[in-house]
Amino acid sequence: MTATAPHPRLTKTPEDGHPAHGPRRPLRILPLTPAVVLLLLFLAGPIAYCVYIAFTDLQLTGQAEESFVGLDNFTRAFGDEAFLNAVWLTLVFTVVSSLIGQNTLGLALAVLMRRASKPVRTLTGGIVVTAWVLPEVVAGFLLYAFFRREGTLNAILDWLHLPSQNWLFTLPILAVSFANVWRGTAFSMLVYSAALNEIPREITEAAEVDGAGGRRRMWHITLPMIRRSIGTNLMLNTLQTLSVFGLIWVMTRGGPGGRSQTLPLFMYEQAFQNSLIGYGTAVALLLLLVGSLFSLIYLRLLRTEV
Amino acid sequence: MALTSVSRRTTRRLAADAGLLVVAGAFVLPLAWVVLSALDPHANLRVKAPDGLTFDNFDAILTPEITFTPLLNSLILCGGATLLTVVCAALAAYPLSRFRSRFNRPFLLTILFATSLPITAIMVPVYALFVQVDLIDTMQGTILFFAASQLPFAIWLMKNFMDGVPKELEEAAWTDGASAFQSLLRIVLPLMGPGVSVVTVFSFVMMWGNFFVPFMLLLTPDQMPASVSINDFFGNRGMVAYGQLAAFSIVYSTPVILLYVLIARRLGGGFALGGAVKG
């Protein structure tokens, strides 16, 4: 089910002026009130508070009250090797698991599903979506088991006579990146399936009659026609990936030695394990700013469809 | 030519089937581990045939402390927040769907913006704020925050579904003197029953699996939902009983998998992300 836009109206009707039907204007927006109050108090409020605390030295313990410290928290962050490490790892995590992994695998699955037989399509779709629906912590434990030295991945590699290693120790950021691919590909698959379904069959068939091979059809017809879905999917994947905490927390705790500590885990460590709420909140604010940037890009991509 | 075309299509389908089965195999391995280990008296970290089937792992975890209390907590948190989310979303979606206003579009864009913000980032200020207003370590505080965090996407979905209900049906009711609230309650919501179900189940599923929100906002062990208790109980590496972990994972995950199956077909429309902005 897709909502369709009403045709733009060419002439004014009574509804544009004084409505002949329906409730009076002041009462119309009343039903929005509960949602707006909830959003203002519990989302907008914390965001505003985030902006405030980020400029203080608020701590968890032993402090009568916080004092204003200007940009100290931010200066400290950009001079902090652990913070820069977290930024770099977040970048690796996002590029590998979201842009490359979820996006391309999701698209590949969506394309293959249009050609596959129904039983295989249903089976594969069901398995991929199950991975997505599982609670984050459960997914973390399953993938922890998979990547451990004594886990299934090494068992398979041994069986294939390929070198195995302690993935969670030697390549922790790649292990959690692949884990996030496993966990999040379903969303991309669903988005791309919906987008591919919108391509008129006649166009693809016409190209096929003209002798265009599969690869050429993909490159010149399919991808251009779903480019907006590619854009929105990339933005949403990136934003979702910026938020990942539980999966990494369960698998590696951000270790060993901070080598899989993305920004959310660094933020958590500073705020709660080091009791530096102000500093942790400054990192949170930076995360929010980056998230806002991608979110605005996402909105821009959506608006081109209107 | 026709024969070649048919053969080519068959070949393509077989190739697609093969590709999908490889992916299915890769994705199913971790899932297979949890099922097989739950039934294995000597489970370890590898997917293997159980050493004789047993339900001992389930017996071990099906206790009030390990399973029933956390699941009840999850139900209270997620149920309460879902109810609040759905009611507020249905109310909010109504004017957005039914009445033209120059504020609709900015509001919807703000909602869309909110759906995609990294929620993890605001948990630190939420924690600090909740400490200030004494909502930390309370069920009601967590429920309210959960509801607020799900609300943007719920409003988005709800408006999408509501747009699918013909406006003419309501206009007749208005002519007969029905108030907006009456037409929402008696005409719109019944007609979009399936849509309301999707929003309800989707919100519930998202919250059921959420780890970080209750991890941050709840401190008392007795209040922990399953998502946090599984981490507390099994997350200390040295002494993990993998079979029991797998059994708990199955018990904890089954509700959301079943619920998702219920709404899967109808959720597809929600992924046509551009639809609602055109309103």
Side-chain angles (χ1 to χ4, degrees):
Chain A
M1 166 215 159
T2 305
T4 53
H7 295 294
R9 300 208 317 264
L10 302 177
T11 58
K12 288 176 73 76
T13 63
E15 287 178 59
D16 283 344
H18 303 287
H21 305 293
R24 299 301 169 191
R25 191 177 305 273
L27 289 181
R28 286 182 180 180
I29 60 171
L30 199 58
L32 276 164
T33 308
V36 171
V37 169
L38 207 50
L39 291 170
L40 286 178
L41 288 180
F42 291 95
L43 286 188
I47 291 173
Y49 199 47
C50 181
V51 174
Y52 168 71
I53 300 175
F55 295 91
T56 70
D57 59 357
L58 181 66
Q59 296 178 38
L60 266 183
T61 54
Q63 190 185 21
E65 64 184 30
E66 73 275 8
S67 52
F68 185 74
V69 295
L71 292 172
D72 282 7
N73 286 328
F74 299 94
T75 306
R76 170 179 181 167
F78 286 104
D80 185 348
E81 259 188 46
F83 170 80
L84 297 177
N85 173 69
V87 171
W88 168 247
L89 291 176
T90 303
L91 198 60
V92 172
F93 182 65
T94 303
V95 170
V96 172
S97 71
S98 174
L99 272 64
I100 297 177
Q102 290 170 358
N103 189 59
T104 57
L105 185 54
L107 180 58
L109 286 171
V111 170
L112 288 176
M113 283 187 167
R114 291 174 64 78
R115 303 174 186 169
S117 57
K118 174 150 184 172
V120 172
R121 188 166 70 232
T122 302
L123 174 73
T124 305
I127 291 172
V128 173
V129 168
T130 299
W132 180 52
V133 174
L134 280 184
E136 184 183 18
V137 170
V138 169
F141 279 118
L142 266 61
L143 294 161
Y144 169 81
F146 186 79
F147 283 108
R148 278 272 294 188
R149 184 202 296 279
E150 320 88 61
T152 301
L153 178 56
N154 278 350
I156 293 171
L157 293 174
D158 287 347
W159 183 71
L160 295 172
H161 301 295
L162 295 172
S164 60
Q165 54 189 303
N166 191 351
W167 301 98
L168 294 175
F169 187 86
T170 57
L171 295 167
I173 193 62
L174 283 189
V176 297
S177 295
F178 276 85
N180 199 46
V181 173
W182 184 85
R183 165 150 179 75
T185 296
F187 181 79
S188 297
M189 178 183 76
L190 291 169
V191 168
Y192 285 134
S193 288
L196 292 174
N197 283 338
E198 302 268 321
I199 298 180
R201 185 167 291 276
E202 303 83 55
I203 293 183
T204 313
E205 285 173 351
E208 195 168 345
V209 171
D210 286 348
R215 198 164 301 155
R216 189 184 300 174
R217 283 202 306 276
M218 173 64 64
W219 196 252
H220 290 284
I221 297 174
T222 306
L223 292 183
M225 289 198 75
I226 65 170
R227 68 186 179 283
R228 289 189 190 101
S229 287
I230 295 175
T232 55
N233 185 63
L234 281 173
M235 290 303 108
L236 285 178
N237 272 2
T238 300
L239 286 157
Q240 170 61 35
T241 304
L242 280 179
S243 267
V244 173
F245 179 91
L247 183 75
I248 300 178
W249 179 258
V250 167
M251 289 182 70
T252 64
R253 293 286 204 270
R259 290 196 293 119
S260 59
Q261 188 178 65
T262 57
L263 280 170
L265 284 93
F266 177 80
M267 171 193 81
Y268 173 80
E269 180 187 66
Q270 295 306 316
F272 296 100
Q273 293 174 342
N274 296 351
S275 296
L276 302 171
I277 294 278
Y279 185 45
T281 304
V283 176
L285 185 54
L286 292 172
L287 247 183
L288 271 177
L289 289 175
V290 173
S292 299
L293 176 63
F294 283 115
S295 201
L296 290 173
I297 296 173
Y298 166 63
L299 289 190
R300 170 60 60 186
L301 285 164
L302 281 185
R303 289 178 71 153
T304 62
E305 284 189 9
V306 181
Chain B
M1 183 61 184
L3 184 62
T4 304
S5 178
V6 170
S7 296
R8 187 183 303 141
R9 191 167 300 131
T10 302
T11 302
R12 263 212 318 264
R13 187 170 67 246
L14 289 177
D17 281 357
L20 287 182
L21 287 174
V22 169
V23 173
F27 270 73
V28 85
L29 279 173
L31 298 171
W33 176 82
V34 75
V35 174
L36 295 173
S37 296
L39 299 169
D40 189 341
H42 303 107
N44 57 29
L45 288 166
R46 294 189 166 176
V47 178
K48 68 180 181 69
D51 302 335
L53 297 181
T54 182
F55 285 101
D56 288 350
N57 290 321
F58 287 96
D59 286 342
I61 58 126
L62 292 175
T63 68
E65 183 196 35
I66 298 176
T67 300
F68 299 134
T69 298
L71 286 180
L72 180 61
N73 290 338
S74 291
L75 195 59
I76 293 169
L77 286 171
C78 301
T82 297
L83 183 63
L84 189 53
T85 298
V86 170
V87 170
C88 290
L91 288 171
Y94 186 71
L96 294 171
S97 173
R98 278 349 198 200
F99 307 124
R100 250 172 302 281
S101 162
R102 65 179 175 278
F103 299 112
N104 278 11
R105 189 185 170 85
F107 186 82
L108 275 171
L109 289 175
T110 305
I111 285 293
L112 251 190
F113 181 78
T115 62
S116 45
L117 281 181
I119 206 75
T120 302
I122 71 169
M123 290 319 298
V124 175
V126 168
Y127 176 90
L129 193 58
F130 272 31
V131 169
Q132 292 283 330
V133 300
D134 283 326
L135 276 176
I136 199 68
D137 198 24
T138 66
M139 281 289 207
Q140 60 270 24
T142 309
I143 286 173
L144 287 166
F145 180 76
F146 252 154
S149 66
Q150 287 301 314
L151 200 42
F153 195 62
I155 292 175
W156 181 256
L157 276 181
M158 193 72 82
K159 179 193 181 298
N160 243 325
F161 287 117
M162 203 172 281
D163 284 343
V165 176
K167 195 170 180 179
E168 291 73 28
L169 295 178
E170 276 185 271
E171 289 174 345
W174 291 343
T175 303
D176 288 344
S179 68
F181 189 68
Q182 283 170 328
S183 65
L184 173 63
L185 215 55
R186 296 184 187 167
I187 297 174
V188 177
L189 287 180
L191 282 172
M192 61 180 282
V196 176
S197 303
V198 169
V199 177
T200 303
V201 172
F202 191 79
S203 298
F204 186 89
V205 166
M206 288 294 109
M207 289 187 266
W208 184 265
N210 190 293
F211 169 76
F212 199 45
V213 170
F215 182 60
M216 295 289 292
L217 299 184
L218 293 170
L219 311 173
T220 310
D222 284 351
Q223 297 197 106
M224 291 306 180
S227 59
V228 180
S229 71
I230 187 178
N231 176 66
D232 292 344
F233 191 78
F234 296 104
N236 304 302
R237 300 296 186 233
M239 334 185 47
V240 184
Y242 291 114
Q244 292 179 21
L245 167 60
F248 186 91
S249 297
I250 289 178
V251 171
Y252 171 40
S253 303
T254 300
V256 286
I257 293 175
L258 293 180
L259 285 172
Y260 184 83
V261 169
L262 276 183
I263 62 168
R265 195 163 289 118
R266 295 183 181 279
L267 187 59
F271 290 107
L273 300 170
V277 183
K278 297 178 180 176

